[in-house]
Amino acid sequence: MSPASASRPPELSFHGAAREVTGSCHRVVCGPHQILVDCGMFQGDEESERHNAAPFGFEPSEIDAVLLTHAHLDHCGRLPLLVQRGFRGRIFATAATRQLARLVLLDAAAIAEEDAARARRSRLRHGEEDGAGQPLYSTLDVFDTMDQFAPAVRYGAAFEVVPGVRATYVDAGHLLGSASVRLELEHDGRKRSVTFSGDIGNPGRELLPDPTLPPPSDLVVMECTYGDRQHRPYAESVEELLDAIHATFRRGGNVIIPTFALERTQELLYVLHRAVERGRLAPSTQVFLDSPMAISATRIFARFPEAFRPPVAKLLRSGGDPFAVPGLHMTREVAQSRMINAITGGAIIMAGSGMCTGGRVLHHLRRHLWRRESAVVFVGFAAEGTLGRQIIDGAERVEIFGETIPVRARIHTINGFSAHADRDALLAWQHEVGPAETVLVHGEHEVMRTFARALRKAGARAVHMPRRGERLRLDDAEPGEASHG
Ligand SMILES: [Zn+2]
């Protein structure tokens, strides 16, 4: 960093999740230091892959530290690339986030390596030379990345990131280990506070506690994934899911649930566990968890009893398993996974990926989407451009492995299981943190504009919607003066 920049006021810049949902990566420049909050992957379509490989928009070797809010791929997925390109600083995260991030990043590297090998074979088959086709990053890059993690961060305990920047993590209630991060920036004798919401949990769920509110801040950078809608209450969503399961079984079909390996899977397992306990689901119901990553993640979850609501924590501490269901089969191996194909009705099949962009769920969708007896239940967000989104939006036929499949199965979308706060919860969060300036990130542009209107109506002053690469100076801009978008 040049000496001239040392006297400038702190500055934020946005390098992902800017008027879009994935790729979270925000930079804070304070005096001679630069830190990142998250370094996530862009997900969705081929364009996302290009964005992932493109330059970051800053020099990785000049970043002093990364503050990771949570382990979802769209928040941590580009960390190994950052390391590969020269970042040598420390990565701060909670203990659970670190364990989950390791799993998520190793999985991402394995997928990238497989894709690159497949592309190379295809080129060779077509007589082309073995040119480019390097994976975005490798398993070795992930190991290097894990070495750069600092000792685990504890919720509520402030620590110095670099001189002039202190950080406090609070539980965001979104995913095991997830956090909102409040920064206190001190420069030229002036103090400013900035809170990054991370992903804000959906209050009222059964596994994780409600999000903890960070103390008031001068500015917030907040997500708005569901800034334009309200979720159904959790209890109603549970009943809706169980009704969908029973109706499908009566028709003689299977229930396919595309799930995210982290959180949603464990939440659903707990819902099924409770449903068996309450007599709402037969103990003999066959449940398949066909996702190696979800199986590993479930083990990590069981290591952190303190992270859960009291009934779940108590069960874990007493040696019980909140994620156990009598008829549960966890299928790690591909051969076991193929055996599920023999079952045409009466089973619940959970498989990744949640947005149906890859993974074993594609095989199950190919076998069941065209069957009127079966059902597909979506319990999470699916970004624009993904197969999941096409099905949710009512596509009559879709392409899977180059085959056109008619969509005849019953499609359910149950938002109450969402790990993201809805519009009212986001408005309440912003109101409580009470910033002079609000920066919206992590939302589709239309949703963001709708949420910005709701915020202004509720009395919010400056609301920003930065584009990718845009900078925002933390100077004395009058409220409203800097408002745009
Ligand atoms: Zn998330």
Side-chain angles (χ1 to χ4, degrees), residues 69-75 174-175 178 198-200 419-420 442:
T69 63
H70 65 289
H72 278 147
L73 192 63
D74 60 329
H75 291 257
H174 164 73
L175 163 67
S178 69
D199 286 355
I200 303 172
H420 287 273
H442 202 292

Side-chain angles (χ1 to χ4, degrees), residues 112-152:
E113 285 166 342
E114 276 165 30
D115 287 351
R118 195 177 308 119
R120 202 176 308 128
R121 280 197 302 275
S122 154
R123 272 198 310 280
L124 288 172
R125 260 200 308 277
H126 290 89
E128 294 166 36
E129 53 191 280
D130 186 13
Q134 287 298 310
L136 189 62
Y137 50 79
S138 69
T139 304
L140 288 175
D141 294 317
V142 176
F143 290 135
D144 286 341
T145 304
M146 295 318 297
D147 287 342
Q148 286 178 229
F149 272 74

Side-chain angles (χ1 to χ4, degrees), residues 180-214:
S180 299
V181 180
R182 184 173 190 270
L183 298 182
E184 292 164 277
L185 309 173
E186 192 169 356
H187 184 64
D188 271 354
R190 279 208 65 196
K191 283 187 181 174
R192 297 287 303 246
S193 54
V194 179
T195 290
F196 291 83
S197 71
D199 286 355
I200 303 172
N202 179 15
R205 293 187 302 157
E206 277 190 289
L207 276 187
L208 294 179
D210 290 351
T212 303
L213 282 169

